[in-house]
Amino acid sequence: MMNAIHYRQAVGAIAAVALFCSAATEAGASTCRADPGVYRLETNMPIDEYTRAEITAIRFGSVADLYLTDAVYSSVIGIANIAEPYTISASVDAKRWRLSFRGENGESGTLTLLVPTRMTAYAADIHDNDESHTRSPVLYKEWRFEGVARGNGVFKAGFTASARYTLVFQGRGNRCDEGRQFTHWRLEVSGRKAGYAFFGKLATPVPES
């Protein structure tokens, strides 16, 4: 049976562990807390192992909208037989995104985007909360990727010449970057034979690893 001295020692040890864990949690939260007025733009940033793992965990939603100006379809180059809306299924690994689109008419095509070795990370307090100066703001955030694009099916004609892509993940969050903070995406493909953009929602929340 545990005597009084040993009991007090055990209770003290448990309390010390609890206090340490609480302090560690608060320290982590403090590290990620954003300061009012913060603005961060990092270009040509190497994609490290952590970020690459976060990228591969991001999941696309099932619907993709074609970006159109007032000129409607005449502003789109390189997509055959446009038929909105589009459904999308995505396959993601450490080297590429494969985005398969299917139009309302049943015709489909796949865009393959090679994951670059560098990226742009943007985060800013955009002052959309009147109380943001008195507490930690929720930042507007972007991860931007650029690289070589390939396409087949309804996109094939746009790739008779080389084309590139810009893929942007958009979201809100604190100072620390996590894939689950991003809620929307936008993809633009450009080249001599291609010029169009899609946008949509990400499947949220992204499960924590």
Side-chain angles (χ1 to χ4, degrees), residues 97-152:
W97 292 280
R98 289 189 182 93
L99 307 180
S100 297
F101 297 79
R102 180 176 294 275
E104 194 174 34
N105 60 1
E107 296 192 30
S108 62
T110 298
L111 294 173
T112 300
L113 318 174
L114 302 182
V115 178
T117 59
R118 295 178 178 271
M119 60 179 283
T120 295
Y122 167 72
D125 176 8
I126 58 175
H127 311 287
D128 56 345
N129 187 316
D130 292 338
E131 298 179 355
S132 63
H133 65 285
T134 62
R135 61 179 181 81
S136 177
V138 178
L139 306 180
Y140 171 73
K141 310 183 79 171
E142 290 185 357
W143 276 357
R144 305 174 194 164
F145 308 89
E146 297 182 22
V148 176
R150 299 168 184 161
N152 61 26

Side-chain angles (χ1 to χ4, degrees), residues 63-69 72-87 101 111 155 185-189 195-200:
V63 177
D65 291 304
L66 181 64
Y67 172 70
L68 299 171
T69 66
V72 195
Y73 297 138
S74 62
S75 64
V76 177
I77 304 171
I79 302 179
N81 303 321
I82 297 172
E84 298 181 277
Y86 285 89
T87 58
F101 297 79
L111 294 173
F155 304 114
W185 62 271
R186 186 181 192 277
L187 170 65
E188 184 169 346
V189 177
Y196 49 86
F198 288 98
F199 63 95

Side-chain angles (χ1 to χ4, degrees), residues 5-209:
I5 294 176
H6 289 162
Y7 177 80
R8 286 195 296 270
Q9 289 175 336
V11 171
I14 293 172
V17 170
L19 182 61
F20 174 81
C21 293
S22 176
T25 300
E26 291 179 5
S30 177
T31 300
C32 289
R33 185 175 296 123
D35 301 314
V38 67
Y39 180 96
R40 176 168 60 91
L41 178 62
E42 298 181 63
T43 60
N44 202 32
M45 185 177 76
I47 299 177
D48 57 21
E49 291 185 8
Y50 166 79
T51 304
R52 195 171 294 276
E54 292 294 297
I55 292 169
T56 57
I58 291 175
R59 297 291 178 262
F60 287 75
S62 60
V63 177
D65 291 304
L66 181 64
Y67 172 70
L68 299 171
T69 66
D70 292 339
V72 195
Y73 297 138
S74 62
S75 64
V76 177
I77 304 171
I79 302 179
N81 303 321
I82 297 172
E84 298 181 277
Y86 285 89
T87 58
I88 179 176
S89 59
S91 172
V92 183
D93 59 40
K95 295 184 177 180
R96 61 186 59 83
W97 292 280
R98 289 189 182 93
L99 307 180
S100 297
F101 297 79
R102 180 176 294 275
E104 194 174 34
N105 60 1
E107 296 192 30
S108 62
T110 298
L111 294 173
T112 300
L113 318 174
L114 302 182
V115 178
T117 59
R118 295 178 178 271
M119 60 179 283
T120 295
Y122 167 72
D125 176 8
I126 58 175
H127 311 287
D128 56 345
N129 187 316
D130 292 338
E131 298 179 355
S132 63
H133 65 285
T134 62
R135 61 179 181 81
S136 177
V138 178
L139 306 180
Y140 171 73
K141 310 183 79 171
E142 290 185 357
W143 276 357
R144 305 174 194 164
F145 308 89
E146 297 182 22
V148 176
R150 299 168 184 161
N152 61 26
V154 297
F155 304 114
K156 184 177 180 179
F159 292 91
T160 54
S162 60
R164 296 184 63 80
Y165 76 88
T166 300
L167 176 64
V168 182
F169 295 139
Q170 301 167 305
R172 304 297 292 261
N174 54 25
R175 180 190 295 274
C176 298
D177 286 339
E178 298 176 274
R180 63 193 180 93
Q181 295 174 341
F182 297 97
T183 57
H184 292 76
W185 62 271
R186 186 181 192 277
L187 170 65
E188 184 169 346
V189 177
S190 59
R192 192 161 57 87
K193 298 288 187 178
Y196 49 86
F198 288 98
F199 63 95
K201 293 182 179 180
L202 296 169
T204 55
V206 173
E208 295 188 53
S209 57

